[in-house]
Amino acid sequence: MKNDPFNFRISSSPTRPKRHNRDKAQQEFDVADLVNDGPFGQPLAGDETEQQSPPDEKLRQAYFWIVNYAVISPYYDIEYNTHTPQPFTFGGSRAELRLPTDQSYSSFILLPLLTFATQRKCLFIGGPGRGKTASALLMGLLAGDDSKTVRRNMLHGHPQMTVADLLGNPLPKDLMQAEDEADIRISWRSWLKQRVKIIDEYNRIPTRTQSALLSVLGDNYAEMFNQIYECPPAAWYLTANDDQGGGTYPVIEALKDRIDVVVQALTFNPRFLDELLMRVEQNIDPTGFFPEDLHFSTAEMEQMQAEIKAIKLPDTLRRRLEYFVSQFEFSEFSGDSFEYQSKDTSRLAGVPRHFLAQLESGRDRLADLGCQTTNGLSVRSLMSLIIYAKALAYFRGNSAVSLEDITQIIPFVLHSHLHQDPDAPLFADTDYKTFLSDKIGWLRYLFKESNLAFDLQGLNNHDSVAELKAQLDQGLEQVSERECQARLQKIEQLLTSLSQSNKLSGVIHSDALTLKYMHQRYSNYLRWLQSR
Amino acid sequence: MTPQWYETELLKPLLASFKHWPTEDQEQLAQYGQTLGETLLQYGWLQSEQQALLQQIFLTILPRWLASHPEQAPSLISQLLNTLARFPTITSKQNLLQRFEQCLPTAENTGNTLLVLSWLNGLAQYRTTAIEVLQQQPELAATLGFSSTQALHNPWWQGDQLQLKTTPVEVGSMSWLGGRFDDLPWIEYSNEQVIINAGARRWQLFVDAFGTHLHPLPTTELHEQPCDDDLSQFTLQLIQFNRYLRAGDRVKQVLELPHSYLLSFKTSYRLLIIPKQGNRL
């Protein structure tokens, strides 16, 4: 195939063939089975739709097309295994290479694709010439534009970029004649209407222009001279040579926080130089051969998003996530009252992290995962995490998110949201020093450790707080006064047991606050019952 | 009835009612109509007892329903007829059509509406999906008499008018001869699914107020039958409270589900599903 540069084929066979599983019986009972299977078949109009791949299959076809033809040396860093993979250990650092036993993926292609499917925001980071812009360009082609249009609509950040360069210009005639600001028409920049928006080197944009970009990126509209331009839903791709603020201008925090995933462009493997040579000699640009069949229409995009949202996140996994997340925000000595014991309180007050760390003498700072970060997780990052986990499950043709999906997606979503505390004792250990530079590895380690603790505490089988909350979630209707008092007593008992038997940690802190919330709900309800 | 009868009495009047459609859509329907005639003949739909049913479909329902869906007409007809083909008797087909006429759906919503109607007409295996549809479409739920979709979580809820079904449901029959099972059936509960075993065969049981369905499962593994517990006291209690148990019935297993009791017997080739009424049988 690689010898024939013009043979850019789409996979005709299923990209991820499914095994018949136990859910098969359940899957058969759907509308398609009822109305299409029968003596009268699926006529004319139905035949046409049948030939089109469903969006998830099309997404996989796009992935494999890019892997096979557009990107020269893909890395398989998102590993899935059906059984224990074979490891190979190298060198004094005992670096391990594993051969995955299930279909595995290259984050550099998969994450941007999932961003396209969910219409969210992806940041490519990496040194110059690693294919960041080229990958973003390929995503633009998926939306149905040709490569010229995508290139023209790509915004290149530079230190002199003004708000007008970003958004558009008022029409000079209107500027002269208008009696009211509302009469000034704006010639909006064409990139605003694109379904795939690409901003190259966004960390070179001046701070003021970044703020204008924030309203487009965050709220999907542009504003100028009191005129509003509503942008269509879009997938965003931003590139930066440096994620640590080393661009021409530091990136404003709010803009950073709106980025859902961060993908690192990995280095070129010199073993693939022959292919690069062929491209140079034969003047081949794969973007010129992007198959039309891989274009996604607006309707397909909407369908895909609805299907992704419908992917289930099992309760047991949600509990694991809750447990993981609850470990980071807590900071015992940041606040006097229980509610304000968060890293955000000390951050807002400007109290240095190491000052508080000195006070935490009772905590095992090596085992406590919360000690490794300087912040907790925002609601926005949790939403991104859920959406991307669902999208990954969807991409793999599953109807529910698995633990492996979350494990794989966490590092890319939390990359720019969870900040390391380089003074944490863990990073002083030689075995873990690499985590200071390998953030993806560190985030995977965090989630793995959190899961171990979750399993050790047996929370998968018995979680009193979750049980009480599930009981409350069923509603207070029909709950008698006696039952209400019994539940209040149970909450108080649980709080007593939590306070006596454990050191205060992020997880205990979240549980205690949840119990307080439930106590309030029940006691308010009880007062209402008694007042009737 | 002959294919000519179909053409002159059903297809022509149907086409005539769509004279206002664009020519290509009329041609598309005419072409599809020819193929449809052959399929109707092949599957025995052109027998005399089906005459009234076909007339109801072609002369009453389709002209009203398809008027605003010229492009999708062939696909919609096929969806409706495929669904009707699931029901063996003319009465059950007519019951579905009667409800269908009440809520003639849009082209986009046809599949979901047919799914809900099929479930209400006895295809219990579509229950979960149908409830999802009703929860998403309160207007359809109201038209069909389900103002409270919450109540649908009880499988015995029959709607605003009929409320809860209280009479038990039997699957199989007393004796082996002519029954559903070729061996005494026994119950297995796994992954929140009720599995019925009889001899070497296995099914997943779907049951609710509207119907029952035994969905065949692969029988690759040999499943061991549980030991018999002494349920004689329980049987006595059941007989006392429930007139659907017969003298001589010896209960083999009782499975308590959130809204029902499911019984298998040592003496009969049937299963009895009793809706719970409060805390007693």
Side-chain angles (χ1 to χ4, degrees):
Chain A
M1 182 64 60
K2 286 182 178 175
N3 293 329
D4 181 1
F6 296 100
N7 195 356
F8 292 95
R9 282 192 304 117
I10 305 172
S11 315
S12 52
S13 53
T15 50
R16 185 163 164 75
K18 296 212 101 181
R19 261 172 288 164
H20 291 284
N21 55 24
R22 209 182 51 223
D23 294 340
K24 182 82 171 82
Q26 201 61 42
Q27 284 167 9
E28 281 173 7
F29 304 129
D30 61 12
V31 179
D33 159 53
L34 179 77
V35 300
N36 295 335
D37 283 0
F40 301 93
Q42 212 183 345
L44 307 171
D47 288 342
E48 282 164 22
T49 50
E50 202 175 35
Q51 283 165 10
Q52 273 203 332
S53 304
D56 63 328
E57 175 62 12
K58 201 164 162 179
L59 203 62
R60 286 191 291 274
Q61 285 174 340
Y63 172 84
F64 285 105
W65 189 90
I66 295 171
V67 166
N68 294 338
Y69 304 117
V71 174
I72 295 180
S73 59
Y75 286 80
Y76 293 91
D77 55 335
I78 295 188
E79 294 176 6
Y80 279 86
N81 293 295
T82 50
H83 51 274
T84 316
Q86 189 185 354
F88 299 89
T89 313
F90 296 87
S93 65
R94 301 195 304 278
E96 202 175 75
L97 180 132
R98 292 176 299 271
L99 293 181
T101 53
D102 196 4
Q103 196 174 85
S104 297
Y105 312 97
S106 169
S107 63
F108 187 55
I109 300 159
L110 181 61
L111 269 297
L113 259 181
L114 298 185
T115 303
F116 176 79
T118 52
Q119 296 197 316
R120 295 185 89 87
K121 288 135 200 129
C122 171
L123 169 67
F124 290 102
I125 53 168
R130 310 228 166 170
K132 302 185 297 293
T133 315
S135 287
L137 183 79
L138 284 166
M139 299 302 135
L141 301 178
L142 282 173
D145 290 321
D146 58 66
S147 63
K148 260 187 192 168
T149 315
V150 179
R151 277 179 217 275
R152 281 175 194 159
N153 284 311
M154 192 186 294
L155 213 62
H156 297 278
H158 60 83
Q160 279 78 41
M161 188 179 232
T162 61
V163 176
D165 291 336
L166 182 79
L167 303 179
N169 291 295
L171 294 180
K173 185 183 158 200
D174 288 0
L175 269 181
M176 300 294 288
Q177 293 176 350
E179 289 181 1
D180 194 337
E181 209 176 27
D183 298 335
I184 304 170
R185 286 172 296 167
I186 310 288
S187 161
W188 297 105
R189 295 285 309 274
S190 60
W191 74 278
L192 290 169
K193 66 171 189 295
Q194 295 300 110
R195 287 196 292 142
V196 168
K197 294 184 170 67
I198 304 171
I199 307 200
D200 202 17
E201 304 201 48
Y202 88 125
N203 53 345
R204 296 188 70 213
I205 300 175
T207 312
R208 186 170 173 270
T209 316
Q210 280 185 31
S211 303
L213 177 63
L214 179 66
S215 61
V216 190
L217 191 102
D219 303 317
N220 223 20
Y221 75 90
E223 188 178 3
M224 207 176 214
F225 285 92
N226 229 359
Q227 310 278 332
I228 301 282
Y229 182 87
E230 291 285 350
C231 306
W236 286 73
Y237 299 93
L238 302 104
T239 75
N241 290 337
D242 182 353
D243 192 34
Q244 303 305 314
T248 315
Y249 291 94
V251 177
I252 54 174
E253 207 50 45
L255 199 60
K256 263 189 168 178
D257 191 49
R258 270 154 182 89
I259 288 164
D260 296 292
V261 282
V262 178
V263 189
Q264 188 182 339
L266 296 171
T267 47
F268 179 75
N269 184 343
R271 276 282 180 188
F272 291 81
L273 200 62
D274 56 341
E275 200 155 329
L276 195 66
L277 183 70
M278 187 185 74
R279 285 194 187 186
V280 172
E281 287 172 351
Q282 301 194 24
N283 202 20
I284 298 167
D285 177 8
T287 56
F289 301 97
F290 196 82
E292 268 183 39
D293 287 350
L294 293 181
H295 292 166
F296 283 80
S297 65
T298 315
E300 279 174 317
M301 292 297 295
E302 282 169 8
Q303 186 191 341
M304 191 154 57
Q305 286 193 46
E307 286 174 357
I308 288 173
K309 281 181 189 161
I311 298 284
K312 290 194 174 72
L313 177 68
D315 287 351
T316 46
L317 283 186
R318 184 178 48 76
R319 262 307 291 144
R320 276 180 193 272
L321 262 185
E322 286 170 4
Y323 182 83
F324 173 70
V325 171
S326 62
Q327 305 185 57
F328 301 110
E329 189 61 71
F330 173 68
S331 171
E332 193 172 354
F333 295 96
S334 285
D336 186 35
S337 60
F338 215 74
E339 278 79 359
Y340 288 87
Q341 290 179 335
S342 71
K343 287 175 185 164
D344 208 36
T345 309
S346 49
R347 189 189 65 84
L348 289 170
V351 178
R353 180 82 200 115
H354 65 267
F355 176 75
L356 294 167
Q358 286 168 3
L359 302 173
E360 291 169 344
S361 54
R363 296 171 82 185
D364 180 352
R365 287 179 46 79
L366 206 59
D368 193 331
L369 300 182
C371 292
Q372 295 177 34
T373 72
T374 57
N375 67 329
L377 288 168
S378 67
V379 176
R380 198 177 285 123
S381 50
L382 291 177
M383 280 166 65
S384 309
L385 185 56
I386 292 168
I387 286 286
Y388 274 87
K390 286 186 172 207
L392 183 54
Y394 176 76
F395 179 83
R396 287 176 51 77
N398 298 328
S399 57
V401 176
S402 68
L403 181 62
E404 204 50 38
D405 294 329
I406 296 182
T407 311
Q408 294 299 343
I409 214 72
I410 266 187
F412 302 99
V413 176
L414 301 190
H415 192 283
S416 64
H417 297 292
L418 204 57
H419 305 307
Q420 279 178 343
D421 181 358
D423 298 327
L426 182 93
F427 303 120
D429 190 323
T430 348
D431 283 351
Y432 300 101
K433 263 204 180 342
T434 47
F435 286 157
L436 282 170
S437 55
D438 175 14
K439 213 169 170 187
I440 300 285
W442 170 62
L443 288 162
R444 278 198 181 127
Y445 163 82
L446 278 185
F447 190 58
K448 193 176 134 200
E449 287 296 306
S450 166
N451 276 326
L452 274 175
F454 185 86
D455 291 333
L456 274 175
Q457 290 173 40
L459 292 173
N460 212 10
N461 306 319
H462 179 70
D463 183 346
S464 309
V465 179
E467 283 160 18
L468 276 171
K469 189 161 179 292
Q471 206 174 29
L472 176 64
D473 289 344
Q474 284 173 4
L476 290 170
E477 214 171 309
Q478 310 291 335
V479 176
S480 66
E481 192 177 328
R482 201 170 162 186
E483 171 65 20
C484 191
Q485 277 166 334
R487 291 187 192 178
L488 277 167
Q489 202 180 354
K490 209 169 174 185
I491 290 171
E492 286 163 19
Q493 279 170 356
L494 202 51
L495 271 170
T496 312
S497 126
L498 281 179
S499 64
Q500 286 174 355
S501 60
N502 294 285
K503 281 182 185 166
L504 189 53
S505 67
V507 178
I508 303 281
H509 185 257
S510 310
D511 281 354
L513 285 176
T514 311
L515 288 168
K516 181 177 175 181
Y517 154 78
M518 288 193 275
H519 193 274
Q520 264 300 297
R521 291 279 307 271
Y522 281 123
S523 51
N524 284 339
Y525 176 67
L526 184 66
R527 270 192 286 277
W528 177 76
L529 277 180
Q530 288 167 343
S531 69
R532 282 196 304 178
Chain B
M1 283 153 28
T2 59
Q4 287 74 31
W5 177 85
Y6 161 76
E7 269 192 37
T8 53
E9 301 296 321
L10 300 179
L11 187 58
K12 270 192 182 171
L14 180 70
L15 293 171
S17 57
F18 299 132
K19 283 283 180 216
H20 59 284
W21 278 7
T23 322
E24 69 227 48
D25 293 326
Q26 289 188 47
E27 283 171 4
Q28 178 185 258
L29 183 61
Q31 192 189 345
Y32 172 68
Q34 295 300 328
T35 327
L36 186 60
E38 290 164 21
T39 317
L40 288 170
L41 182 66
Q42 187 186 347
Y43 286 90
W45 285 58
L46 292 184
Q47 289 166 3
S48 54
E49 62 269 23
Q50 311 265 9
Q51 184 175 348
L53 179 82
L54 289 176
Q55 282 173 330
Q56 188 188 359
I57 296 170
F58 280 83
L59 306 180
T60 315
I61 296 174
L62 294 185
R64 271 180 63 209
W65 178 41
L66 299 179
S68 50
H69 307 300
E71 280 177 40
Q72 301 100 323
S75 165
L76 293 176
I77 297 173
S78 144
Q79 289 184 37
L80 175 65
L81 294 180
N82 276 333
T83 308
L84 288 175
R86 299 276 174 146
F87 300 94
T89 64
I90 293 175
T91 316
S92 57
K93 287 186 175 87
Q94 279 170 335
N95 287 342
L96 189 141
L97 285 174
Q98 195 187 346
R99 279 194 166 126
F100 188 75
E101 273 192 283
Q102 283 172 13
C103 50
L104 289 178
T106 59
E108 297 74 37
N109 204 27
T110 296
N112 281 339
T113 307
L114 285 170
L115 182 123
V116 173
L117 298 185
S118 300
W119 165 58
L120 293 176
N121 218 25
L123 303 188
Q125 64 271 38
Y126 292 104
R127 173 182 171 74
T128 313
T129 326
I131 291 176
E132 273 174 31
V133 172
L134 288 180
Q135 280 169 338
Q136 284 160 12
Q137 299 184 22
E139 305 84 29
L140 178 63
T143 312
L144 296 171
F146 291 97
S147 54
S148 163
T149 46
Q150 276 298 318
L152 279 171
H153 292 292
N154 185 332
W156 305 110
W157 183 253
Q158 301 175 99
D160 302 339
Q161 203 182 347
L162 296 171
Q163 306 269 317
L164 281 172
K165 180 183 172 83
T166 52
T167 50
V169 174
E170 280 188 351
V171 180
S173 66
M174 279 295 286
S175 63
W176 171 80
L177 188 67
R180 182 73 176 79
F181 305 111
D182 53 10
D183 205 341
L184 284 172
W186 57 276
I187 308 159
E188 191 186 328
Y189 191 68
S190 151
N191 292 323
E192 297 183 10
Q193 294 177 349
V194 178
I195 312 289
I196 306 300
N197 296 271
R201 301 178 68 193
R202 306 179 80 219
W203 299 266
Q204 185 184 350
L205 175 69
F206 295 88
V207 58
D208 65 7
F210 304 106
T212 56
H213 175 73
L214 285 167
H215 185 70
L217 295 176
T219 49
T220 45
E221 294 165 42
L222 198 64
H223 288 256
E224 205 171 314
Q225 208 171 138
C227 300
D228 290 351
D229 294 325
D230 182 16
L231 291 168
S232 50
Q233 279 302 105
F234 186 79
T235 312
L236 279 174
Q237 213 182 336
L238 280 174
I239 292 169
Q240 190 186 342
F241 284 114
N242 203 296
R243 63 195 166 89
Y244 289 87
L245 281 156
R246 293 151 196 166
D249 267 342
R250 287 173 58 213
V251 177
K252 179 182 173 66
Q253 291 169 287
V254 179
L255 173 67
E256 185 174 0
L257 296 169
H259 299 97
S260 340
Y261 290 101
L262 178 57
L263 279 64
S264 70
F265 299 91
K266 292 176 188 171
T267 46
S268 132
Y269 285 78
R270 80 193 201 282
L271 299 162
L272 191 67
I273 303 113
I274 309 174
K276 276 188 190 172
Q277 293 170 54
N279 286 325
R280 68 177 200 88
L281 289 165

